[in-house]
Amino acid sequence: MAEVIVVEHEQAAGELVAESIRALIEAKRDAVLGLATGSTPLTVYQALGRSLSARPLDVGMVRGFSLDEYVGLPAGHPESYRAVIDREVVAPLGLTPSNIRVPSNDLAALPAAGTEYEQAIIDAGGVDLQLLGIGRTGHLGFNEPGSSFASLTRVKTLTPQTRADNARFFASPDEVPIHCITQGIGTILRARHLVLLAFGAGKAAALAAAVEGPVTSSQPGSAIQLHPHVTVVVDEAAAGLLANLDYFRYAWANKPAWQGI
Ligand code: F6R
């Protein structure tokens, strides 16, 4: 079973995970981070920013790979994940822009973009720590239900549910792209440490299916059960449907201090 840590609020989750990322960078200056977008990881990036201001650390060699990108937005659109990663992660943390990659959504380059992205991750030595949110459909990255657990970076179609959920970032629901390019479940499973965050009651069903449900491509999140090192950090509301909640709390309360997450 994945390790599940229940925290009081998103800020506490952000601080816990940011400290783990900081420790990783201290141990490996050119650490490779797997970056998620959306609302969920924002407290992690903000807490890491505060930590780096309070106790400066050279992050110039850190490398990063974003999980996914929309296809079909005009270049430079503020909600393209390239723009979001630059605004929320690269600039505030002072990362080196050329070290941080987002899958290309350039239409002419799209047929080869997945293969190139996979090769770039391999050339970087693989992802050390992959941040993940989870969609209400159960998606990881933009791997909607039915995505193969062996899948690699490729173009996918977003479900109407995911488009509706992400409409809050756009002026109108119709503006949310139908297509995306996303790391596959197979890509995500190659990362050395998966850190999945979820907040709010709206994520409880998808989270319980991911952590405790049957392993099935109908619930892409359940692929985490195939990974040897997964840390799930959730608030009380997102943890609300976990059957083994008492055990998760007991394991965390009794975790040896030397172990880390
Ligand atoms: C984002 C991503 C998605 C989101 C998920 C949850 O890069 O790959 O899987 O993590 O859609 O989105 P939020 O965090 O906005 O609820």
Side-chain angles (χ1 to χ4, degrees), residues 35-41 66-68 81 132-136 139-143 162 166 168-169 182 203:
L35 303 166
T37 43
S39 305
T40 305
S66 171
L67 274 172
D68 38 26
Y81 284 167
L132 295 168
I134 189 164
R136 291 203 299 157
H139 68 223
L140 294 185
F142 274 148
N143 296 280
T162 296
N166 286 7
R168 68 189 191 281
F169 295 112
T182 180
K203 298 292 177 73

Side-chain angles (χ1 to χ4, degrees), residues 75-98:
H77 191 288
E79 291 307 325
S80 75
Y81 284 167
R82 174 80 258 176
V84 171
I85 287 285
D86 287 346
R87 189 168 67 233
E88 307 287 357
V89 187
V90 176
L93 300 186
L95 303 181
T96 304
S98 57

Side-chain angles (χ1 to χ4, degrees), residues 157-177:
T157 307
L158 295 170
T159 58
Q161 167 86 69
T162 296
R163 291 185 68 223
D165 287 345
N166 286 7
R168 68 189 191 281
F169 295 112
F170 292 84
S172 94
D174 293 342
E175 250 193 73
V176 185

Side-chain angles (χ1 to χ4, degrees), residues 196-223:
L196 171 61
L197 300 126
F199 307 117
K203 298 292 177 73
L207 196 269
V211 174
E212 296 176 329
V215 175
T216 164
S217 61
S218 299
Q219 285 290 342
S222 67

Side-chain angles (χ1 to χ4, degrees), residues 80-143:
S80 75
Y81 284 167
R82 174 80 258 176
V84 171
I85 287 285
D86 287 346
R87 189 168 67 233
E88 307 287 357
V89 187
V90 176
L93 300 186
L95 303 181
T96 304
S98 57
N99 284 352
I100 310 302
R101 297 210 33 181
V102 177
S104 169
N105 61 359
D106 176 55
L107 288 183
L110 216 43
T115 313
E116 277 170 17
Y117 204 63
E118 291 292 326
Q119 193 58 48
I121 295 173
I122 291 168
D123 292 346
V127 170
D128 291 304
L129 185 151
Q130 176 66 60
L131 286 174
L132 295 168
I134 189 164
R136 291 203 299 157
T137 62
H139 68 223
L140 294 185
F142 274 148
N143 296 280

